[in-house]
Amino acid sequence: VSFVGAVGIAVHVVYGEAGLWCYAAFLAIAGGFIYHAVRSLEAVEVFKEKYEAAYMECTKGIEPGSDQLGPKPLSSPGLVQDGDRDVDYYIEEATRLFKP
């Protein structure tokens, strides 16, 4: 006899037919909770597989641990002002002139 059956017999002996009905209702509710939990975990696994596939597609060609993610730098290395000096020169000059 299984554990659930042994408990059912003990409940029936101690509490009578009403106890047995309450125990059966408890088992049905507990079974519903377990079923819902298993279905939820299965749904999470399906979503996880879809997420992993999308992630692998988006990161194709990027080496793990590299700094290839994120936006491109805002500086434009080919941008030149009058006098053939780039933007970095003017930023450094402004920092030098206006530094307290």
Side-chain angles (χ1 to χ4, degrees):
V1 179
S2 70
F3 176 75
V4 174
V7 171
I9 292 172
V11 167
H12 180 60
V13 168
V14 174
Y15 296 108
E17 190 174 333
L20 189 60
W21 281 106
C22 289
Y23 184 64
F26 169 76
L27 288 179
I29 292 170
F33 281 137
I34 292 171
Y35 176 78
H36 177 69
V38 169
R39 296 292 292 172
S40 295
L41 286 175
E42 289 173 350
V44 166
E45 289 297 320
V46 169
F47 180 77
K48 178 183 167 188
E49 290 173 6
K50 289 179 182 179
Y51 178 81
E52 287 291 326
Y55 177 78
M56 293 309 256
E57 180 68 28
C58 290
T59 59
K60 193 184 318 179
I62 298 176
E63 296 182 21
S66 69
D67 194 21
Q68 297 175 351
L69 297 174
K72 295 181 180 178
L74 295 176
S75 64
S76 181
L79 185 62
V80 177
Q81 299 284 335
D82 292 336
D84 293 328
R85 295 192 172 105
D86 62 357
V87 173
D88 292 331
Y89 170 81
Y90 290 104
I91 292 172
E92 291 171 7
E93 188 68 17
T95 304
R96 184 184 65 80
L97 290 174
F98 297 105
K99 189 176 182 180

